[in-house]
Amino acid sequence: MKIFEKELKVATSKRVEFIDVTAEINKIVDESKISNGVCYIFVPHTTAAITINENADPDVITDIINTINSIVPHKGNYFHLEGNSDAHIKSSLFGATLSVFVNNKKLKLGTWQGIYFCEFDGPRHRKVWIKVIGE
């Protein structure tokens, strides 16, 4: 069994933004030299998240951002004094971790699937931790 870890840095430019990081994570999986196993992806931030969704039509991401912003608006009746309660809520709804199978040194994703870093309190410089485990 082999274990490979790497940190991916992500710079965001908007308050709410989804950045496709699929290619960068696939490069890390390839660099790991692990042919078959699992890739764990973790975002160590309380106002950001990680998700899998369609990466063929950018309107899907636009629709997700518009919907999440209407469900959890930036300004609301929040008690948290920093003014980013919406970002904490959005982060909790999406989640901080993903597990993706690795087959033949590549992420095993569906035809239209991509991995997105989700920024909810940007712009910021963020981290994504990746751990690949397998043979």
Side-chain angles (χ1 to χ4, degrees):
M1 167 120 33
K2 295 186 226 171
I3 299 173
F4 183 85
E5 291 184 43
K6 188 137 189 192
E7 180 177 286
L8 175 65
K9 295 186 186 299
V10 179
T12 65
S13 61
K14 300 175 188 166
R15 175 163 174 74
V16 177
E17 179 178 14
F18 281 40
I19 298 173
D20 188 342
V21 293
T22 312
E24 291 90 337
I25 295 175
N26 255 325
K27 285 178 194 170
I28 292 168
V29 168
D30 186 58
E31 184 183 342
S32 77
K33 308 276 192 247
I34 293 172
S35 296
N36 297 293
V38 179
C39 178
Y40 298 99
I41 305 154
F42 177 73
V43 173
H45 306 286
T46 61
T47 57
I50 195 87
T51 196
I52 293 175
N53 215 299
E54 181 177 326
N55 68 350
D57 180 356
D59 287 339
V60 171
I61 295 306
T62 300
D63 291 342
I64 291 171
I65 290 171
N66 289 341
T67 301
I68 196 68
N69 283 337
S70 71
I71 293 168
V72 185
H74 176 55
K75 300 293 181 193
N77 191 22
Y78 306 122
F79 294 99
H80 183 52
L81 297 177
E82 287 182 39
N84 62 354
S85 285
D86 65 310
H88 290 289
I89 295 165
K90 291 169 185 171
S91 172
S92 290
L93 291 173
F94 280 83
T97 62
L98 290 176
S99 303
V100 181
F101 297 139
V102 172
N103 281 41
N104 299 318
K105 296 185 181 180
K106 292 199 183 295
L107 296 168
K108 189 170 183 177
L109 294 167
T111 303
W112 308 112
Q113 289 183 319
I115 300 171
Y116 287 91
F117 177 84
C118 310
E119 175 64 73
F120 299 120
D121 194 24
R124 292 189 185 234
H125 292 279
R126 302 291 201 162
K127 298 181 254 188
V128 179
W129 295 339
I130 293 117
K131 183 179 279 195
V132 186
I133 300 173
E135 301 296 328

